[in-house]
C-alpha cells in the first residue's frame, strides 16, 4: 500500500549529494518531480545558464539546488555563488509564477549565514554575520524568498543545516574520509572539539512537518559528535587503524609555518582554530515548534 498523500513536490538540486540521500524517502510521501543537472531529471536545467519552464503547478517546492563546498579563487568564481544561489532562486520563483504558485516553499540554506567559526548552541536569533560569497548569497536568497513568499501568500520554511552526513559526503566530512582512507589524516589535540551534524535523510523527514507551518530553523542532531568520535566511526567502517594523534603544540607550530606558506599550506592558524574549537547549533526551536526528532548521526552514518 502506498504511503503517498498525492501532493505534488518539486525538488531542485535532486542530482546532488543531498538528493541521492533524500529523494527515495521523499518519493514515499509525495509525487516528486526533479529539477537538476541530470538528463534523467524531469527538468534538466542549469540554474546559471538556462531558463526554467515548469509544466504544472506544485503543492510543495524543496529548493536545494545551489553552489557550495568550493573556495572561490577569482572574482568570477565568487560571482557564481550569487548567480546560482540568488539569481537561480529568482529563476525558480519566476517559473513558479508562470506555472502556478505553490502552497509551501522549503529552502535549504546553511548555518554559514551566522558567520561563526567557533561557538556553542548558536540559535536562530544570532545575527547573520556571514562574509563568504557562499554565506552572503544564501543570506540574500533568504531575504528574497521572505519577500516573495509574503507577496504570494506562500508558506516559507528556511532550513539551516549544519554539516550534513550521508553516503559519499562532500566537503569537510568527505575530506576526512579520504584522508583516513589514504592514511594522510592526522588527529589533532585528541579530537575533542564538537560539531553539529545532520543526517541527510532528516531533510526528507522534516518536509511533512514544516510544509503547513513554515519558519526559520537550524537543523542538526542531538549528539554533537567530537572529531575523535567521527574519526573512530570512519576508521572502523574503512577497516583502518584510528589516525595518529598529534599534540596541539605540534599542530600550532605547523600552523605558523603554514601562515608563511600561504593558501597552499594544508594547515594554518585559522584552520587550526576551527579544528580545535567546537561549533554547535541549537536545534531546540525545530524540535519544539515542529515536533522534529533528529536521527542520531553516530548510530546511523554509513559513509558509502
Amino acid at each position: 500500500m502506498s504511503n503517498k498523500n498525492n501532493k505534488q513536490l518539486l525538488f531542485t538540486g535532486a542530482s546532488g549529494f543531498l538528493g541521492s540521500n533524500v529523494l527515495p524517502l521523499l518519493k514515499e510521501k509525495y509525487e516528486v518531480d526533479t529539477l537538476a543537472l541530470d538528463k534523467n531529471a524531469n527538468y534538466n536545467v542549469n540554474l546559471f545558464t538556462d531558463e526554467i519552464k515548469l509544466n504544472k503547478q506544485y503543492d510543495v517546492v524543496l529548493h536545494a539546488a545551489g553552489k557550495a563546498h568550493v573556495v572561490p579563487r577569482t572574482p568570477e568564481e565568487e560571482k557564481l555563488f550569487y548567480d546560482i544561489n540568488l539569481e537561480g532562486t529568482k529563476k525558480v520563483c519566476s517559473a513558479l509564477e508562470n506555472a502556478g504558485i505553490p502552497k509551501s516553499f522549503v529552502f535549504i540554506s546553511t548555518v554559514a549565514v551566522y558567520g561563526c567559526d567557533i561557538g556553542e548552541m548558536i540559535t536562530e536569533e544570532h545575527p547573520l554575520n556571514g562574509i563568504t560569497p557562499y554565506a552572503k548569497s544564501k543570506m540574500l536568497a533568504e531575504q528574497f524568498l521572505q519577500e516573495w513568499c509574503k507577496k504570494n501568500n506562500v508558506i516559507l520554511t528556511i532550513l539551516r543545516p549544519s554539516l550534513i552526513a550521508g553516503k559519499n559526503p562532500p566537503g569537510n566530512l568527505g575530506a576526512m574520509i579520504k584522508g583516513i582512507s589514504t592514511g594522510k589524516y592526522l588527529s589533532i589535540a585528541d579530537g575533542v572539539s564538537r560539531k553539529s551534524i545532520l543526517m541527510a535523510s532528516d531533510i526528507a523527514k522534516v518536509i511533512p512537518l514544516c510544509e503547513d507551518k513554515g519558519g526559520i530553523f537550524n537543523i542538526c542532531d542531538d549528539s554533537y559528535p567530537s572529531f575523535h568520535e567521527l574519526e573512530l566511526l570512519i576508521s572502523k567502517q574503512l577497516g583502518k587503524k584510528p589516525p595518529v594523534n598529534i599534540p596541539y603544540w605540534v599542530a600550532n607550530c605547523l600552523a605558523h609555518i603554514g601562515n608563511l606558506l600561504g593558501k597552499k599550506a594544508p594547515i594554518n592558524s585559522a584552520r587550526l582554530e576551527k579544528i580545535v574549537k567546537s561549533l554547535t547549533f541549537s536545534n531546540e526551536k525545530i524540535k519544539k515548534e515542529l515536533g522534529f526528532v533528529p536521527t542520531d548521526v553516530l548510530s546511523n552514518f554509513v559513509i558509502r
Side-chain angles (χ1 to χ4, degrees):
M1 179 181 290
S2 173
N3 292 321
K4 290 180 182 178
N5 57 24
N6 293 320
K7 287 184 179 178
Q8 301 288 321
L9 183 145
L10 176 65
F11 183 10
T12 77
S15 64
F17 160 70
L18 192 63
S20 65
N21 285 272
V22 169
L23 185 57
L25 299 172
L26 282 177
K27 286 182 174 180
E28 295 176 6
K29 298 288 185 179
Y30 299 93
E31 300 288 347
V32 181
D33 281 354
T34 56
L35 185 154
L37 268 172
D38 183 349
K39 64 181 181 179
N40 296 317
N42 297 92
Y43 306 99
N44 181 6
V45 170
N46 183 323
L47 284 185
F48 176 45
T49 58
D50 300 340
E51 292 303 315
I52 303 171
K53 291 185 178 180
L54 305 175
N55 56 29
K56 60 177 158 179
Q57 184 174 13
Y58 293 91
D59 301 294
V60 183
V61 176
L62 172 57
H63 181 38
K67 183 174 178 61
H69 308 300
V70 176
V71 178
R73 297 179 180 178
T74 65
E76 291 75 20
E77 289 181 358
E78 287 190 10
K79 185 175 180 292
L80 267 178
F81 282 93
Y82 298 94
D83 289 337
I84 296 172
N85 294 343
L86 175 60
E87 300 304 323
T89 297
K90 292 179 179 179
K91 281 186 181 180
V92 170
C93 289
S94 179
L96 292 170
E97 290 174 5
N98 292 328
I101 300 293
K103 178 182 178 183
S104 181
F105 194 110
V106 182
F107 178 56
I108 304 300
S109 186
T110 170
V111 291
V113 297
Y114 300 120
C116 298
D117 290 330
I118 61 174
E120 296 190 29
M121 302 306 285
I122 295 163
T123 73
E124 294 84 353
E125 300 302 313
H126 192 284
L128 304 188
N129 294 330
I131 60 172
T132 65
Y134 173 55
K136 290 168 74 174
S137 63
K138 286 289 191 177
M139 289 157 58
L140 289 170
E142 284 190 13
Q143 182 181 346
F144 168 79
L145 285 170
Q146 287 172 313
E147 295 169 358
W148 184 85
C149 287
K150 183 177 181 180
K151 173 185 172 184
N152 291 286
N153 197 30
V154 177
I155 298 169
L156 173 63
T157 304
I158 294 173
L159 297 178
R160 294 173 178 161
S162 60
L163 192 64
I164 302 180
K167 290 184 178 180
N168 301 308
N172 292 334
L173 266 182
M176 180 184 283
I177 293 167
K178 182 179 179 180
I180 292 174
S181 68
T182 58
K184 296 179 180 179
Y185 180 93
L186 294 173
S187 181
I188 297 175
D190 297 320
V192 296
S193 65
R194 294 189 171 273
K195 306 292 179 182
S196 288
I197 306 189
L198 170 73
M199 284 301 300
S201 56
D202 276 0
I203 295 293
K205 186 194 299 185
V206 81
I207 304 304
L209 301 177
C210 72
E211 64 169 88
D212 293 326
K213 295 184 178 180
I216 299 175
F217 304 102
N218 295 338
I219 180 167
C220 58
D221 88 339
D222 289 328
S223 65
Y224 310 103
S226 69
F227 266 74
H228 183 61
E229 288 172 319
L230 290 169
E231 290 160 3
L232 290 179
L233 182 152
I234 292 167
S235 300
K236 184 177 180 180
Q237 290 193 32
L238 290 172
K240 300 284 187 178
K241 292 182 179 179
V244 173
N245 177 72
I246 62 172
Y248 176 80
W249 70 267
V250 174
N252 195 36
C253 291
L254 294 173
H256 279 86
I257 295 171
N259 294 342
L260 301 174
L261 295 176
K263 293 182 179 180
K264 292 184 178 181
I267 192 167
N268 56 33
S269 294
R271 290 175 191 162
L272 179 61
E273 182 86 349
K274 292 180 183 180
I275 291 170
V276 300
K277 298 290 181 67
S278 293
L279 179 60
T280 61
F281 299 87
S282 170
N283 63 6
E284 288 304 310
K285 183 182 180 186
I286 196 169
K287 292 195 295 184
K288 181 178 180 181
E289 294 189 13
L290 300 184
F292 172 69
V293 180
T295 303
D296 182 73
V297 169
L298 290 175
S299 302
N300 292 276
F301 181 22
V302 177
I303 63 176
R304 289 174 180 165

